[in-house]
Amino acid sequence: MITQLDEQECLELLRTTTVGRIGFVQEGRVLIIPVNFLLDDRSIVIRTAPDGPLSTLASSRVLVAFEIDHHDNLAASGWSVLLNGEVDTITEEHLASLPGASSRLPWAEGDRSLLLRLTPTTISGRRVRRMR
């Protein structure tokens, strides 16, 4: 059985994890990159390399997708949350004002000084469970 999740359920699930995937098209190819993130109200905030593949998202104004999911093999169930929107940059001051920001460091090494925020235009989710 598949059920749609409302926005509030999606936001609650986003609060349960710190890793997601951001997807976008660059030079005619779809890229999907795992990232650590922080939830800021309805927006996703990430730290990334200023010269990495995500660095052009804010200036290009390309639409992006952000996804998290979970599955339980034993229970034959799972869920997925998907956000779509555009990315802009934020300042260190804005990040510092967010609850939990000091404890959410990127797992990847190196310079992660570029701060990006995905502001969603849509938030959707689904829960799936095999009927027994």
Side-chain angles (χ1 to χ4, degrees), residues 4-72:
Q4 300 296 317
L5 302 175
D6 65 30
E7 184 173 307
Q8 188 58 41
E9 290 173 297
C10 291
L11 293 172
E12 288 171 14
L13 290 170
L14 281 164
R15 289 184 191 94
T16 67
T17 188
T18 61
V19 178
R21 290 171 295 285
I22 192 164
F24 55 98
V25 176
Q26 187 176 72
E27 298 177 5
R29 294 178 36 199
V30 175
L31 297 178
I32 300 172
I33 298 174
V35 294
N36 297 101
F37 75 95
L38 176 66
L39 187 63
D40 175 17
D41 189 30
R42 297 176 71 246
S43 298
I44 299 297
V45 175
I46 63 170
R47 284 185 167 276
T48 192
D51 60 350
L54 302 177
S55 65
T56 62
L57 292 179
S59 62
S60 68
R61 305 308 291 174
V62 63
L63 290 176
V64 302
F66 180 84
E67 192 260 351
I68 64 168
D69 59 26
H70 172 78
H71 68 275
D72 182 335

Side-chain angles (χ1 to χ4, degrees), residues 85-110:
E86 291 186 348
V87 171
D88 62 351
T89 58
I90 63 169
T91 64
E92 284 285 347
E93 291 78 21
H94 179 84
L95 178 66
S97 72
L98 301 178
S102 63
S103 65
R104 297 281 174 91
L105 300 174
W107 293 353
E109 295 178 346

